[in-house]
Amino acid sequence: MRLQGGILCIGEILWDSLPSGLYLGGAPLNVCYHLNQLGIKASIASKVGEDRLGKEAISRINAKGISTDLIQKDGAHETGFVCVDISNDGDPKYRIVESVAWDFIRLNNPLTNATEDCWGLVFGTLAQRNEASRETIQQLWKLDMLKILDMNLRRPYVDKDIIYDSLEVADIIKMNEEELNQLKDWYDLSGGMKKTVEHVAEKFNCSLVCITQGANGAMIYRDDIWTEHNGFPKKAKDVVGAGDAFLAALIFGIKNGKVGNELLAYANATGALVAQKDGATPSYSMEDILSQMEESS
């Protein structure tokens, strides 16, 4: 399998234990799902255990029409699992099980072959908490494709050096305000939010930095130009996966030449739509996204 012109998402596959039930997730898998929903060829590289949850994960991913060719099997470690508690405001708190299958992703021939002529690589920081997966991800950085960093800081798995290395290779960075403030503290950056983002873009030679602001929308600093969008305020059912849907729609827009307000409006509408549904990968259509935009216009 080759992802010619497509996107490789690498990192965690796990089960989110929500009050409403078990949902298959992990940011890279969620982004992969939403990219495919939007019509972009994308594949997930990860690892699951040879246990019941691992087999069920493979079955469900296949059922969604996503290739499982790059999902490795691990007989020594269990499939990833996360307990997610949702507050009254819809905000999630995570308790992530350690030393699970996705911590041990290996660079093998199928993974190397799939990246030939690949358009982009989506990666995060959580999947780099273990040396094995971190080494694999960092080997992929050497390849000629767009590097898209989905910050997704999850304490206690926040390593300043790993994040610095990730920022250095990233062409596109997506993070929230809290994550931006963490960078501001680490690198002693002065000024308000916009000035901090401009410092980050300059320091790491990044072409696009996106700051998500939840129900308040998002802003983009792209090639020295700012664009802001207030989002589409709706009552959230749960926001698990909404940021992943936002990122997928942002990538879709960039890949299809969208700029400015149009780019952010599409990404915000997709994120808002997913936040109104249960789980990280609900079913929806392009028409649903456009309706979301029209209803809020």
Side-chain angles (χ1 to χ4, degrees):
M1 182 194 73
R2 289 179 62 180
L3 277 169
Q4 187 170 14
I7 297 173
L8 176 66
C9 303
I10 186 168
E12 61 273 17
I13 286 180
L14 46 80
W15 289 89
D16 289 319
S17 177
L18 298 169
S20 55
L22 281 179
Y23 292 88
L24 184 62
L29 177 61
N30 297 341
V31 173
C32 179
Y33 168 82
H34 291 294
L35 285 169
N36 280 283
Q37 281 278 103
L38 298 170
I40 292 182
K41 182 181 180 182
S43 191
I44 176 70
S46 188
K47 182 175 278 192
V48 297
E50 293 181 350
D51 49 20
R52 183 175 179 180
L53 287 179
K55 293 174 183 177
E56 182 64 21
I58 294 295
S59 176
R60 293 199 185 188
I61 294 168
N62 276 322
K64 291 180 181 292
I66 298 173
S67 171
T68 57
D69 291 351
L70 303 180
I71 301 177
Q72 302 165 16
K73 311 298 192 303
D74 192 327
H77 300 92
E78 296 181 348
T79 300
F81 193 86
V82 179
C83 294
V84 185
D85 299 317
I86 307 296
S87 70
N88 292 334
D89 296 327
D91 294 325
K93 291 186 178 180
Y94 303 89
R95 288 175 286 147
I96 307 171
V97 176
E98 297 187 29
S99 193
V100 291
W102 59 260
D103 285 312
F104 301 93
I105 305 168
R106 301 294 181 184
L107 187 65
N108 56 17
N109 288 334
L111 181 52
T112 301
N113 293 337
T115 57
E116 292 183 18
D117 302 318
C118 195
W119 183 83
L121 174 72
V122 177
F123 69 98
T125 51
L126 176 60
Q128 297 182 64
R129 68 180 182 177
N130 182 280
E131 182 180 0
S133 289
R134 180 167 68 250
E135 183 177 336
T136 297
I137 292 170
Q138 294 186 358
Q139 285 295 316
L140 293 176
W141 290 349
K142 300 175 183 178
L143 303 179
D144 184 20
M145 53 183 161
L146 201 68
K147 314 302 188 305
I148 303 162
L149 172 60
D150 185 11
M151 191 76 75
N152 264 344
L153 298 186
R154 296 284 182 262
R155 299 188 185 281
Y157 312 109
V158 178
D159 186 297
K160 183 177 179 181
D161 293 334
I162 290 172
I163 292 167
Y164 188 94
D165 291 342
S166 299
L167 290 165
E168 273 204 315
V169 302
D171 300 297
I172 295 170
I173 303 169
K174 182 214 123 189
M175 58 183 149
N176 59 32
E177 294 179 81
E178 181 181 352
E179 290 160 345
L180 177 65
N181 288 333
Q182 179 67 81
L183 299 187
K184 184 175 182 177
D185 290 341
W186 279 343
Y187 307 127
D188 195 26
L189 304 175
S190 60
M193 182 187 298
K194 287 188 175 181
K195 183 59 67 175
T196 301
V197 170
E198 291 170 9
H199 284 320
V200 169
E202 180 180 7
K203 180 178 181 65
F204 296 103
N205 192 28
C206 179
S207 62
L208 187 153
V209 179
C210 177
I211 306 299
T212 58
Q213 300 174 287
N216 296 320
M219 58 177 63
I220 285 178
Y221 184 63
R222 186 181 192 184
D223 297 327
D224 301 327
I225 297 174
W226 277 102
T227 304
E228 299 179 57
H229 191 282
N230 292 329
F232 300 95
K234 294 278 186 175
K235 183 173 177 59
K237 197 167 189 178
D238 79 68
V239 298
V240 177
D244 304 322
F246 174 96
L247 177 58
L250 185 72
I251 295 169
F252 171 88
I254 293 169
K255 200 170 189 297
N256 285 279
K258 296 183 185 296
V259 295
N261 190 265
E262 182 185 16
L263 174 62
L264 268 184
Y266 191 82
N268 274 323
T270 306
L273 179 66
V274 171
Q276 296 166 54
K277 300 176 180 289
D278 281 324
T281 56
S283 178
Y284 60 91
S285 66
M286 190 72 72
E287 288 73 20
D288 293 331
I289 297 171
L290 296 177
S291 294
Q292 178 79 55
M293 296 171 71
E294 291 171 3
E295 289 173 6
S296 303
S297 63

